[in-house]
Amino acid sequence: MLTNSSSQKKNRILPFACICFILQVALAPDIVLASGQINFALIFTVICALSKRDNTTIVYAFIAGLLFDLLSTGPVGIMACLLSIVAYLVVDKIHVNLFEDIATSSIIFSVLALMVCLLHFLIMFVCGSVTSFIPSLIYRVLPVFILTSCAFIPLAFLYRRLTGAISMHSRNASMRPTRSHKLHL
């Protein structure tokens, strides 16, 4: 019986989305460095974009950003717009598979996280939600970037575990004959 892998991926994204939402609501307010919290919506967006590779990821990113905006104190729509842009960039321009190369995925995520944190801060500053530039940059943007970047790797492994993905390296290693299984011609 053949199954559609796209529908299987959709079924696996919903539990991961619920996990990220619960973590954003329950855990993020408790893990604070200076005045920065983990942005689980950004982590969800990049993990989905790196693994799914289709345009529905942009819709998921918009919804995740909208939920993030509704849970935060800033203007609604900023993070939704930023995460939609990030999802588009990752799906369309970046050709790295999360399941094959976690190190490169982490580097890409760190660059995107820094970009999103800075842009979110600058938009909030222009809107008047942030009054002091340098202290907010040091005590808000930098901690959000550090915490979010540190939380990416465990959640990426969790997503890989949820989807049952095996990296190409371990798949090829398990297919190699061992000494006990040598082929004799």
Side-chain angles (χ1 to χ4, degrees), residues 76-156:
V76 176
I78 295 173
M79 190 58 72
C81 178
L82 289 174
L83 292 184
S84 298
I85 292 169
V86 165
Y88 170 75
L89 288 175
V90 172
V91 167
D92 195 45
K93 304 294 181 198
I94 299 173
H95 303 289
V96 173
N97 189 346
L98 174 70
F99 301 125
E100 293 175 2
D101 194 1
I102 196 87
T104 305
S105 299
S106 298
I107 293 169
I108 289 169
F109 177 78
S110 295
V111 170
L112 291 170
L114 183 61
M115 180 184 75
V116 167
C117 291
L118 286 173
L119 286 174
H120 188 259
F121 166 72
L122 290 174
I123 293 170
M124 296 283 281
F125 185 73
V126 169
C127 290
S129 296
V130 176
T131 55
S132 56
F133 189 79
I134 299 296
S136 294
L137 192 62
I138 293 170
Y139 295 115
R140 173 97 172 146
V141 174
L142 190 59
V144 169
F145 166 69
I146 291 169
L147 288 172
T148 305
S149 294
C150 290
F152 174 77
I153 293 175
L155 283 172

Side-chain angles (χ1 to χ4, degrees), residues 9-26 40-45 47-48 51-52 56-57 59-61 63-65 67-68 71 155 158-159 162-163:
K9 285 183 181 180
K10 287 179 186 177
N11 294 338
R12 292 181 182 141
I13 285 183
L14 185 61
F16 186 66
C18 291
I19 290 169
C20 287
F21 179 73
I22 290 169
L23 289 173
Q24 186 69 47
V25 171
F40 287 104
L42 176 61
I43 295 170
F44 169 75
T45 298
I47 287 175
C48 285
S51 62
K52 202 164 170 350
T56 58
T57 305
V59 175
Y60 296 147
I63 293 169
L67 290 172
F68 180 88
L71 293 172
L155 283 172
L158 175 69
Y159 184 76
L162 283 174
T163 58

